[in-house]
Amino acid sequence: QTSEAEVVVFSVPSYACQRRTTLENHNAVLTDALALLAENAELSEEEGRGVAFRRAAAVLKALPRPVTSMTELRGLPCLGDHSLRVIKDILENGASSEAESTKQSERYKALKVLTGIFGVGAKTADRWIREGILGLQQLQESGQTLNRAQQAGLEHYDDLNQPVTKADADVISEIVERAVVSVLPGAQMTLIGGFRRGKLSGHDVDFLITHPEEGREVGLMPKVVSWLESQGFLLYQKTTRNSERSRSGHKLWRAVRVDLVVSPISQFAFALLGWTGSKLFERELRRWAGHERNMSLSSHALYDNKQRIYLRATSEEEIFAHLGLEFIPPSERNT
Ligand code: ATP
Ligand code: MN
Ligand code: MN
């Protein structure tokens, strides 16, 4: 009597920045449920739980085909007991009861609506919910004082919660490009964030601006913002001096969130890598750098804690090489 068994074993490295993750996802049913639980944890300020769910989802996203049984998951990294319970529920019953009940819960629904207001984070939403404010109308009737960001966010709620398409992003790119070259000829603008990774829609459009001559970028941000303002494109702006970063609305046919980042050319590769995402990919890169290489990575620099030196780089490829990682192109950073 012979017995044959075909054993399917997925092998996945444990850091998301060691893996190639395209937009093609063979396990969307599983990862959607885990992403919802991650989002709920984040909105409840349970960051650790949120990251655990995100890491589990990222492992499933990297698999080359759909998971059909729990045995296929043996040996995979980042799958904790809680995530495994969720996956088992879906494989056996077609849906996760926990994800479904979370989605239906009044608290989750209220957190989603309220944090959907630009300028409202989990803390503020939680406070409002405890005061009995569960929706936009209740918020408006409550007489809560809103800051300027939140007023703009409420006013343009529908626009800002509508996904930004690649076509929208292209129109915005042209406008920002015009602003940049008008105020500083020779300055260069690069599309970053999700659109650089090849996503077809996003919640905003992100741009990185630099100039090939070090120092010429100083003072560029306020000039770009003023230009956009003078042309009637700005609805709201918030500039953080330190990070040389500005968020703005854009008024043309609809309001769109735009993130602008200015970087000196010496830091350009680090800014490019740091702002291309995904968020989890960035988090994993920094974790890899710290835990596996004793280095500190930011969107400004890479520091070697052992040699006590900054490691220079003029391209993303060089940064991956410094970190001892295989280069992963933007389209495969969709963890
Ligand atoms: P979406 O398409 O929904 O906009 P995204 O991947 O572009 O998704 P963003 O929130 O726009 O996400 O952020 C783009 C990248 O910029 C992220 O991957 C993140 O690493 C980085 N980033 C965002 N906010 C900050 C911040 N405050 N400081 C440093 N980096 C940030
Ligand atoms: Mn973005
Ligand atoms: Mn952004």
Side-chain angles (χ1 to χ4, degrees):
Q1 190 182 341
T2 62
S3 71
E4 276 178 37
E6 188 188 5
V7 185
V8 186
V9 183
F10 293 123
S11 161
V12 171
S14 62
Y15 287 83
C17 55
Q18 296 173 289
R19 311 193 287 254
R20 295 176 181 275
T21 314
T22 62
L23 289 168
E24 190 180 17
N25 178 358
H26 301 282
N27 288 285
V29 177
L30 300 176
T31 60
D32 285 352
L34 292 169
L36 183 123
L37 295 174
E39 186 189 29
N40 185 246
E42 287 156 3
L43 291 174
S44 306
E45 292 181 274
E46 297 175 49
E47 204 197 336
R49 253 158 59 86
V51 174
F53 285 130
R54 297 257 176 231
R55 286 211 187 106
V59 165
L60 301 179
K61 273 186 210 172
L63 300 181
R65 57 183 171 274
V67 172
T68 54
S69 81
M70 293 302 285
T71 56
E72 296 171 354
L73 301 177
R74 241 180 272 154
L76 287 181
C78 308
L79 300 178
D81 289 343
H82 197 156
S83 294
L84 286 171
R85 274 205 306 281
V86 173
I87 297 167
K88 187 160 184 275
D89 200 8
I90 298 173
L91 292 180
E92 287 175 358
N93 309 308
S96 154
S97 54
E98 188 182 357
E100 290 307 310
S101 66
T102 300
K103 207 191 300 182
Q104 305 300 329
S105 74
E106 293 307 319
R107 183 178 159 77
Y108 173 78
K109 286 192 276 188
L111 281 169
K112 279 289 276 184
V113 170
L114 296 175
T115 58
I117 304 169
F118 177 66
V120 176
K123 265 202 185 67
T124 305
D126 179 68
R127 194 181 73 234
W128 287 344
I129 291 170
R130 280 188 280 112
E131 291 175 31
I133 299 166
L134 300 177
L136 300 185
Q137 198 172 343
Q138 280 170 323
L139 176 62
Q140 270 160 328
E141 287 164 0
S142 72
Q144 288 280 343
T145 39
L146 304 180
N147 63 32
R148 280 192 49 239
Q150 295 163 345
Q151 284 168 26
L154 199 52
E155 198 177 324
H156 300 282
Y157 188 85
D158 291 335
D159 269 4
L160 295 179
N161 281 286
Q162 187 191 321
V164 182
T165 65
K166 183 68 173 77
D168 295 330
D170 290 340
V171 174
I172 308 266
S173 293
E174 273 178 43
I175 294 164
V176 174
E177 177 93 56
R178 230 189 300 150
V180 167
V181 300
S182 305
V183 301
L184 182 63
Q188 290 162 5
M189 185 198 83
T190 311
L191 186 63
I192 48 175
F195 287 110
R196 180 162 184 252
R197 302 197 308 276
K199 278 178 62 180
L200 296 175
S201 77
H203 92 288
D204 69 358
V205 197
D206 309 279
F207 298 101
L208 174 59
I209 303 163
T210 191
H211 190 285
E213 255 176 77
E214 184 85 7
R216 293 288 299 280
E217 81 293 338
V218 173
L220 184 54
M221 181 72 84
K223 286 185 194 146
V224 172
V225 171
S226 301
W227 189 95
L228 291 169
E229 193 159 36
S230 71
Q231 303 286 312
F233 288 130
L234 280 200
L235 284 175
Y236 171 79
Q237 60 145 316
K238 180 180 114 188
T239 309
T240 330
R241 244 192 97 83
N242 286 344
S243 63
E244 281 287 302
R245 168 164 179 246
S246 160
R247 311 195 122 191
S248 54
H250 173 272
K251 184 185 185 177
L252 190 60
W253 67 109
R254 58 165 289 202
V256 174
R257 284 176 61 162
V258 176
D259 272 351
L260 301 177
V261 182
V262 173
S263 156
I265 191 74
S266 59
Q267 298 177 9
F268 179 78
F270 297 99
L272 185 62
L273 179 59
W275 286 89
T276 293
S278 70
K279 276 197 184 77
L280 184 69
F281 192 90
E282 303 296 342
R283 178 186 272 275
E284 294 281 279
L285 272 178
R286 292 192 301 269
R287 191 165 70 96
W288 168 274
H291 291 188
E292 307 295 331
R293 287 293 182 270
N294 196 11
M295 293 177 184
S296 309
L297 176 68
S298 74
S299 47
H300 302 284
L302 177 62
Y303 186 72
D304 185 324
N305 298 309
K306 194 154 154 261
Q307 298 186 70
R308 300 191 177 188
I309 51 167
Y310 284 97
L311 301 172
R312 299 187 171 282
T314 55
S315 67
E316 290 185 324
E317 282 84 347
E318 282 178 69
I319 303 173
F320 279 86
H322 282 318
L323 291 170
L325 287 169
E326 192 183 333
F327 177 68
I328 310 284
S331 62
E332 293 176 333
R333 296 179 201 162
N334 286 294
T335 54

